[in-house]
Amino acid sequence: MAIPVLKGKTLLLGITGSIAAYKALDLIRRLKEEGVDVHVVMTKSACQFITPLTVQTLSENAVAIDLFSLREEADIGHIKLARMADLVVIAPATANILAKAASGIADDYLSTILLATRAPVVMCPAMNPAMYENPATQKNIEILKGRNILVVEPDSGSMACGEEGRGRFPPIDLIIEAISKKLTPPTWKDLKVLVSAGPTREFFDPVRFISNPSSGKMGYAIARAAIRRSAMVHLLTGPVSIPPPYGVTIHNVTSAMEMYNRAMELAPEMDIIIMAAAVGDYRPEKISTKKVKKTEKALAITLIPNPDIIAAIGKIKKPQQITVGFAAETDNILENASQKLIHKNLDLIVANDVTRPDSGFCVDTNRVKILLRDGSILELPCLPKEEVAEKLLDVIEDLRRRRDGI
Ligand code: C5P
């Protein structure tokens, strides 16, 4: 996903003895893809489920297991490992390690590191549902949360032990997002953010519509970036085929009129409104209730304009609110974008050239220029949409800071 905050970080991954230990191998691979230096500590029970050799090969670092091994301690040293990590993540975390961490027991390599580290900690419990529901485990989780440890809730479903319930290892993407959030300062805490994303569909009969190729990737990346900064995010989305980000309140809509109505309901409550959706500018005047029959003749459909959502929000905007628009352009990019910035009463506008293959609709990268009302322009090179989102949020954060004089 190319999450900027992960790149170049050193992570200490603790693997404990749950059957879900094999899923930690996938987590190591994903973290390596994100440019993370992964150092693994395994408990003795974890070594019954997966081999240290596999972990070592995937992580490309020596694996620590035995606190009193002369060789391991000479190579790494538990205090050094505890100090070097930007973050410690335990995945999977058994009921046993949760109990030890909650009571401060340090009787093996991993529990000792947990006590010795000053780095932020993320724990991903995975166990039999009865063990997870047990009041002792739940109490330990509460204690750990109270110490600012981020505990990722396990999934529910069928378990390896044959039971149904909560206790499954969470999806890797959720763990990656939890780690990224824990590494990001919560600068948007208590801020309510509305992000629109994706295309709209303008139906002219029950099975046919006019739309555009928007994938929703840019808006979804913005929503994820705002979640990482601890904002409360409402994602207003047209039909897309990508999964919703973790932790957002999702509002699914189909047509521009539906998006308009929902946006007007939500907007007054928001601190920041970012409209990245490719809203259809026109809709068919008439929607046939039955499928329009095919004939040999040309078919004329009269299109009428849709309301401009961000412009309508611009009219009722409160002074403390920040509104951001996107301008997908094929020509005169800066001129068109700066006109929209003024006409739509925006605080800033993100202009992108949709004629380039590495920018705009559907692709994972974007090449944008961010225009502000004071005339300044930030021109970004071609970047992954995840990075464009972070840069955009930095600009918004800076604008709010300057406006509020902090
Ligand atoms: O005028 P244009 O469609 O190029 O403006 C693009 C910006 O306006 C985007 O931020 C888009 O989400 C928003 N928009 C809107 N309602 C429309 C059309 C565009 O909010 N009907």
Side-chain angles (χ1 to χ4, degrees):
M1 231 188 287
I3 303 170
V5 74
L6 291 179
K7 205 168 171 197
K9 291 287 190 307
T10 301
L11 233 87
L12 206 147
L13 168 64
I15 306 178
T16 63
S18 151
I19 180 66
Y22 76 94
K23 295 183 179 171
L25 300 174
D26 208 18
L27 178 61
I28 298 172
R29 293 209 53 186
R30 285 288 309 281
L31 288 167
K32 296 286 295 177
E33 279 166 18
E34 294 285 341
V36 176
D37 184 20
V38 185
H39 293 261
V40 181
V41 178
M42 295 172 72
T43 61
K44 291 230 166 77
S45 334
C47 300
Q48 301 290 326
F49 292 96
I50 51 171
T51 77
L53 181 63
T54 317
V55 171
Q56 190 153 297
T57 311
L58 291 178
S59 69
E60 299 176 83
N61 279 314
V63 176
I65 303 159
D66 186 355
L67 188 57
F68 299 109
S69 146
L70 290 176
R71 202 185 55 79
E72 278 170 30
E73 274 297 279
D75 279 354
I76 346 172
H78 63 278
I79 297 291
K80 189 172 151 204
L81 257 187
R83 269 202 207 122
M84 69 196 269
D86 292 301
L87 182 138
V88 176
V89 54
I90 316 274
T94 53
N96 187 46
I97 193 74
L98 297 174
K100 288 207 279 187
S103 4
I105 293 173
D107 65 350
D108 64 0
Y109 216 121
L110 186 58
S111 51
T112 306
I113 278 184
L114 271 177
L115 215 54
T117 191
R118 290 196 171 90
V121 178
V122 175
M123 295 225 183
C124 306
M127 66 197 75
N128 162 279
M131 289 174 89
Y132 181 69
E133 284 160 21
N134 190 295
T137 306
Q138 288 303 315
K139 178 81 190 155
N140 290 330
I141 289 175
E142 280 320 303
I143 292 172
L144 296 170
K145 284 183 178 168
R147 290 186 200 142
N148 201 25
I149 289 178
L150 200 163
V151 181
V152 181
E153 202 183 323
D155 248 10
S156 9
S158 62
M159 308 283 297
C161 57
E163 284 186 34
E164 286 278 331
R166 193 167 286 285
R168 282 167 63 91
F169 194 73
I172 304 284
D173 279 344
L174 175 57
I175 302 176
I176 298 267
E177 283 301 346
I179 293 170
S180 309
K181 186 172 182 187
K182 198 72 185 155
L183 286 168
T184 307
T187 46
W188 288 32
K189 195 167 183 300
D190 300 329
L191 287 184
K192 287 192 183 151
V193 180
L194 175 64
V195 181
S196 78
T200 61
R201 288 180 181 173
E202 311 303 325
F203 279 86
F204 60 87
D205 79 8
V207 292
R208 301 191 189 96
F209 56 82
I210 299 166
S211 191
N212 61 66
S214 168
S215 62
K217 285 179 179 173
M218 191 64 246
Y220 278 50
I222 293 168
R224 278 193 296 272
I227 285 282
R228 273 176 226 134
R229 290 178 199 215
S230 297
M232 288 170 271
V233 179
H234 290 261
L235 179 60
L236 181 52
T237 176
V240 296
S241 56
I242 53 175
Y246 293 103
V248 303
T249 305
I250 198 114
H251 304 267
N252 287 300
V253 292
T254 306
S255 67
M257 281 311 289
E258 282 178 73
M259 191 175 273
Y260 170 82
N261 289 330
R262 191 62 67 85
M264 296 311 274
E265 271 167 37
L266 292 167
E269 299 299 312
M270 299 293 142
D271 298 291
I272 299 167
I273 298 160
I274 307 171
M275 290 278 144
V279 186
D281 289 324
Y282 297 94
R283 67 179 185 277
E285 187 178 29
K286 291 194 190 100
I287 307 175
S288 166
T289 52
K290 295 201 178 82
K291 188 179 168 195
V292 175
K293 292 275 172 282
K294 185 172 81 176
T295 66
E296 294 302 309
K297 285 191 234 147
L299 175 67
I301 298 168
T302 305
L303 299 176
I304 53 168
N306 275 324
D308 192 307
I309 304 168
I310 195 78
I313 292 172
K315 291 203 175 99
I316 55 161
K317 179 177 157 182
K318 297 174 199 145
Q320 71 275 19
Q321 287 183 311
I322 290 207
T323 53
V324 178
F326 272 69
E329 302 293 342
T330 53
D331 52 270
N332 292 333
I333 299 175
L334 286 180
E335 203 184 305
N336 289 336
S338 56
Q339 273 177 17
K340 285 177 191 170
L341 178 69
I342 304 301
H343 287 150
K344 299 185 188 219
N345 194 20
L346 303 168
D347 293 281
L348 54 100
I349 193 156
V350 185
N352 60 342
D353 181 350
V354 285
T355 60
R356 298 183 71 115
D358 59 2
S359 176
F361 290 135
C362 287
V363 289
D364 288 327
T365 51
N366 215 351
R367 193 185 283 270
V368 307
K369 296 180 176 69
I370 302 177
L371 285 71
L372 281 96
R373 283 186 89 90
D374 64 5
S376 57
I377 300 172
L378 175 69
E379 187 167 348
L380 297 177
C382 178
L383 292 171
K385 284 183 173 167
E386 215 69 29
E387 259 182 77
V388 175
E390 291 289 353
K391 297 256 191 273
L392 173 63
L393 265 55
D394 285 346
V395 176
I396 298 171
E397 206 170 304
D398 190 49
L399 191 66
R400 276 177 53 88
R401 210 177 290 127
R402 277 187 284 137
R403 194 194 56 186
D404 300 343
I406 38 172

